[in-house]
Amino acid sequence: MVAAFAQAWFSWQGSGARGGSGPEGLLSVAASSSMVIRDLTLRSAASFGSFHLIRLLYDEYMYYLIEHRVAQAKGETPIAVMGEVRAAGR
């Protein structure tokens, strides 16, 4: 998963490509999984809880990867980057 993320992210940064790579790819995955969760909810599917947990885990892992990539690019610790984001949001 890390390799796929890195490949999509860096190909997006280097080429200026849009649609399906980089942030747009992450947005597409989020939108698709939201539609699946909506459908599972409407059908009262037994697998809703499992799918929801997997999606939450995936989202958190993507946030983790992005925070670490940003910290690596800035030459700072991930904690310092998270502190900057929280301070800017106030």
Side-chain angles (χ1 to χ4, degrees):
M1 188 183 294
V2 174
F5 167 78
Q7 180 182 2
W9 189 262
F10 291 121
S11 68
W12 172 78
Q13 281 182 331
S15 68
R18 296 283 185 251
S21 63
E24 285 81 9
L26 295 175
L27 184 60
S28 174
V29 168
S32 300
S33 62
S34 291
M35 287 190 295
V36 169
I37 286 178
R38 179 188 59 98
D39 192 46
L40 291 174
T41 303
L42 292 173
R43 296 172 194 256
S44 298
S47 60
F48 168 78
S50 300
F51 186 81
H52 186 63
L53 287 174
I54 290 170
R55 180 178 176 218
L56 290 174
L57 202 99
Y58 172 81
D59 288 345
E60 289 297 319
Y61 188 60
M62 286 297 115
Y63 292 139
Y64 168 81
L65 288 176
I66 291 169
E67 286 171 351
H68 279 264
R69 294 285 178 172
V70 169
Q72 195 175 37
K74 292 177 96 176
E76 297 178 1
T77 63
I79 300 284
V81 172
M82 286 186 282
E84 288 176 14
V85 171
R86 288 196 180 110
R90 290 183 188 189

